[in-house]
């Protein structure tokens, strides 16, 4: 980095610009630039890296301090002893240039103050939960959750004296009020607090939506909002089609493996939200590790340049494919957010969602044998778990992702043996329709 050489005139403790000087230009023609524009350069100054237009990958475990006083300042920043921007790089378990630029750009999509990146969605979720909870606490969460998230709360946190109260995704304001009351009573009984309300919306694989606004109102009525953040897993619709911070959430969690990464070639996670919450989670990440590696962070910077294009195209494709599937004689139904049949769910969708996304459930007439024949006949779509990639994927949650969920609970969550989960990609929509057409003919 050409102008980062040691300057003896600057040997006292004055921060040198390491990244793009702030405030950088984020307005043009009197209007704020949109995220799609900012993804090409925000947080990065080519002049600091030999004028390379793209951010180089910084493969290093540690960073050289300009002088001893700067080393002390950087540690004060990292440990929260010093207020203000964290402008010092210290050690790669804490931060790095690729990760910090990625975090700046992730925050933009959600309109958040700050963001963190992780080595997986699950490391983001587990570090968040560990940062929030003390022994005796009660987590309130929506259901269904991603199976590993549910397991982490129910099995791992239980070992540390943390319990939970779940509520169904579509719960009404009255039901939410009851849930908060019950959680408060349980926490008092256990000598703890309710330190986290954890949501996932839409839920996997049924696409059931949570009323974030109603959860916020119930939270505000029963708990101190400054001690009980609402976090939401926004992997299925974010960052384009749902902006939870605008509806009352405090923290937004992502598996960046899915739509944000978008090419089925990396595993990563992210959290965005208010600085106060993010700082507490950062402290836990500093201790545990789990930050994304520089190469993955770089790949995500590449992915963020096209996330809007990809999600728009995938969403248009899904709309066309679902229009074809809707009346098909071998299709029993669809769990697609563009074709909601329940009035309460439609109301939540209208208030919270900007688009239907491209992951949905397809109910085949019949059961497991019919679903398997359909999956085995697909030629363009690939038979694989995960979602949000450029290619269309299909899987059978009943016997794959949710195989370990007890049958009773599967039934309650609507995970039937004729449910095929589909994640539509960015292929030509007519090719996708032709593929689904011939695969349904094989059923
Ligand atoms: C995939 C996924 C996760 C876990 O993310 P990983 O990157 O696989 O660790 C969490 N939540 C949802 C909704 C997911 O789809």
């Amino acid at each position: 980095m050409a102008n980062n050489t040691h300057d003896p005139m600057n040997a006292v403790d004055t921060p040198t610009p390491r990244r793009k000087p702030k405030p950088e230009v984020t307005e043009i023609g009197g209007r704020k630039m949109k995220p799609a524009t900012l993804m090409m350069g925000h947080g990065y100054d080519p002049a600091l890296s030999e004028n390379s237009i793209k951010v180089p990958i910084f493969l290093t475990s540690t960073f050289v301090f300009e002088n001893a006083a700067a080393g002390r300042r950087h540690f004060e920043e990292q440990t929260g002893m010093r207020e203000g921007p964290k402008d010092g790089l210290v050690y790669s378990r804490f931060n790095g240039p690729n990760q910090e630029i990625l975090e700046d750009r992730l925050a933009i999509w959600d309109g958040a103050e700050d963001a963190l990146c992780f080595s997986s969605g699950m490391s983001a979720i587990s570090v968040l939960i560990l940062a929030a909870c003390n022994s005796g606490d009660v987590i309130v969460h929506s259901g269904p959750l991603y199976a590993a998230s549910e397991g982490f709360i129910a099995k791992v946190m239980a070992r540390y004296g943390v319990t939970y109260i779940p509520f169904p995704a579509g719960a009404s304001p009255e039901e939410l009020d009851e849930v908060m009351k019950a959680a408060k009573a349980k926490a008092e009984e256990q000598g703890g607090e309710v330190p986290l309300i954890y949501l996932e919306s839409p839920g996997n694989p049924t696409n059931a939506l949570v009323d974030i606004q109603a959860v916020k109102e119930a939270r505000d009525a029963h708990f101190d909002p400054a001690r009980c953040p609402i976090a939401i897993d926004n992997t299925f619709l974010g960052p384009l089609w749902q902006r939870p911070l605008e509806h009352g959430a405090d923290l937004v969690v992502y598996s960046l493996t899915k739509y944000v990464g978008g090419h089925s070639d990396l595993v990563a996670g992210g959290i965005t939200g208010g600085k106060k919450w993010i700082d507490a989670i950062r402290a836990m990440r500093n201790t545990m590790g789990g930050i994304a590696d520089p190469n993955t962070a770089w790949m995500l910077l590449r992915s963020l340049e096209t996330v809007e294009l990809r999600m728009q195209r995938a969403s248009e494709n899904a709309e066309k494919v679902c229009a074809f599937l809707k009346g098909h004689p071998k299709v029993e139904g669809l769990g697609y957010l563009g074709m909601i049949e329940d009035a309460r769910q439609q109301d939540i969708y209208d208030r919270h969602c900007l688009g239907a996304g491209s992951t949905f459930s397809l109910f085949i007439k019949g059961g497991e044998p019919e679903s398997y024949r359909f999956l085995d006949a697909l030629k363009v779509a690939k038979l694989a778990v995960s979602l949000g990639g450029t290619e269309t994927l299909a899987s059978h949650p009943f016997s794959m992702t949710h195989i370990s969920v007890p049958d009773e609970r599967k039934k309650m969550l609507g995970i039937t043996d004729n449910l095929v989960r589909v994640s539509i990609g960015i292929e030509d929509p007519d090719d996708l329709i032709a593929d689904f057409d011939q695969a349904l003919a094989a059923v």
Side-chain angles (χ1 to χ4, degrees):
M1 293 171 69
N3 63 348
N4 264 8
T5 48
H6 183 67
D7 170 8
M9 296 303 288
N10 199 26
V12 288
D13 180 25
T14 41
T16 46
R18 174 171 59 76
R19 300 252 307 279
K20 198 158 188 165
K22 287 176 181 169
E24 66 177 83
V25 181
T26 54
E27 288 190 7
I28 190 85
R31 62 196 285 282
K32 273 182 78 173
M33 285 187 210
K34 294 284 166 58
T37 309
L38 291 169
M39 287 311 106
M40 309 316 168
H42 181 72
Y44 172 65
D45 183 356
L48 294 171
S49 294
E50 309 289 1
N51 293 320
S52 165
I53 189 164
K54 287 300 178 210
V55 183
I57 304 180
F58 291 86
L59 290 174
T60 185
S61 62
T62 192
F63 299 88
V64 178
F65 303 138
E66 304 94 281
N67 51 50
R72 178 198 177 111
R73 177 164 46 79
H74 297 340
F75 266 91
E76 286 171 349
E77 288 162 6
Q78 275 308 310
T79 53
M81 291 166 73
R82 177 191 280 262
E83 286 296 306
K86 293 180 179 38
D87 80 327
L89 293 170
V90 173
Y91 182 63
S92 294
R93 197 178 74 240
F94 305 155
N95 56 13
N98 296 103
Q99 293 92 330
E100 286 197 343
I101 295 167
L102 169 63
E103 289 168 352
D104 286 353
R105 294 189 191 173
L106 278 176
I108 285 174
W109 285 101
D110 283 328
E113 272 183 324
D114 209 347
L116 294 169
C117 65
F118 291 85
S119 58
S120 71
M122 277 320 300
S123 69
I125 292 163
S126 41
V127 169
L128 158 73
I129 292 171
L130 286 168
C133 295
N134 289 301
S135 158
D137 285 348
V138 179
I139 298 173
V140 172
H141 75 79
S142 66
L145 295 181
Y146 184 73
S149 308
E150 202 156 301
F152 189 79
I153 292 173
K155 298 198 185 111
V156 181
M157 293 312 288
R159 288 165 37 202
Y160 305 101
V162 175
T163 62
Y164 60 95
I165 294 193
F167 65 87
S172 66
E174 296 72 32
E175 287 166 325
L176 288 168
D177 203 57
E178 289 304 315
V179 167
M180 300 302 167
K181 261 188 223 157
K184 191 168 199 167
K186 192 166 178 180
E188 270 164 20
E189 189 187 299
Q190 293 176 185
E193 293 186 48
V194 175
L196 180 66
I197 297 174
Y198 185 82
L199 316 176
E200 184 174 318
S201 182
N204 176 21
T206 55
N207 269 344
L209 295 168
V210 178
D211 188 338
I212 308 166
Q213 261 170 336
V215 170
K216 177 189 158 39
E217 277 159 28
R219 187 270 316 263
D220 292 354
H222 294 278
F223 303 110
D224 177 1
R227 297 182 66 83
C228 179
I230 298 168
I232 176 167
D233 185 332
N234 197 34
T235 298
F236 271 48
L237 286 182
L240 228 61
W241 307 126
Q242 183 167 252
R243 300 171 56 78
L245 298 179
E246 293 174 2
H247 306 294
D250 301 293
L251 289 162
V252 185
V253 178
Y254 290 97
S255 169
L256 301 176
T257 312
K258 314 295 166 54
Y259 284 98
V260 176
H263 296 70
S264 307
D265 56 5
L266 63 85
V267 173
I271 304 182
T272 67
K275 191 175 170 316
K276 161 187 155 163
W277 307 114
I278 293 286
D279 278 348
I281 303 164
R282 188 199 319 277
M284 184 58 84
R285 188 187 68 178
N286 283 354
T287 303
M288 293 185 60
I291 191 169
D293 68 88
N295 188 68
T296 301
W298 185 93
M299 300 233 289
L300 284 161
L301 291 174
R302 168 224 45 187
S303 292
L304 281 175
E305 295 183 4
T306 58
V307 68
E308 186 172 272
L309 277 180
R310 286 183 286 104
M311 288 188 78
Q312 276 167 348
R313 167 67 175 240
S315 181
E316 285 163 22
N317 280 358
E319 198 179 332
K320 290 175 187 161
V321 169
C322 286
F324 162 79
L325 292 172
K326 194 173 193 263
H328 196 285
K330 298 210 173 136
V331 172
E332 188 183 280
L334 285 171
Y336 169 57
L337 290 174
M339 299 172 176
I340 297 174
E341 279 162 14
D342 174 274
R344 164 101 179 118
Q345 285 287 307
Q346 186 66 48
D347 172 52
I348 301 174
Y349 179 87
D350 292 342
R351 283 182 287 119
H352 289 354
C353 305
L354 300 162
S358 55
T359 299
F360 59 88
S361 11
L362 163 62
F363 297 91
I364 307 271
K365 272 191 190 146
E368 186 166 300
E370 287 76 12
S371 303
Y372 275 30
R373 275 200 284 282
F374 171 75
L375 287 167
D376 289 340
L378 289 168
K379 291 194 168 80
V380 176
K382 304 283 188 297
L383 175 52
V385 298
S386 196
L387 58 115
T390 47
E391 63 286 277
T392 296
L393 301 180
S395 65
H396 189 246
F398 187 88
S399 63
M400 297 171 191
T401 46
H402 293 68
I403 190 163
S404 57
V405 177
D407 281 356
E408 248 334 274
R409 185 150 169 82
K410 270 188 213 163
K411 204 168 172 182
M412 210 186 84
L413 298 175
I415 303 170
T416 50
D417 62 359
N418 68 335
L419 189 170
V420 170
R421 192 187 71 184
V422 179
S423 163
I424 294 288
I426 63 170
E427 301 93 337
D428 179 86
D430 294 329
D431 288 344
L432 289 175
I433 290 171
D435 190 29
F436 279 63
D437 194 21
Q438 63 84 26
L440 282 169
V443 173

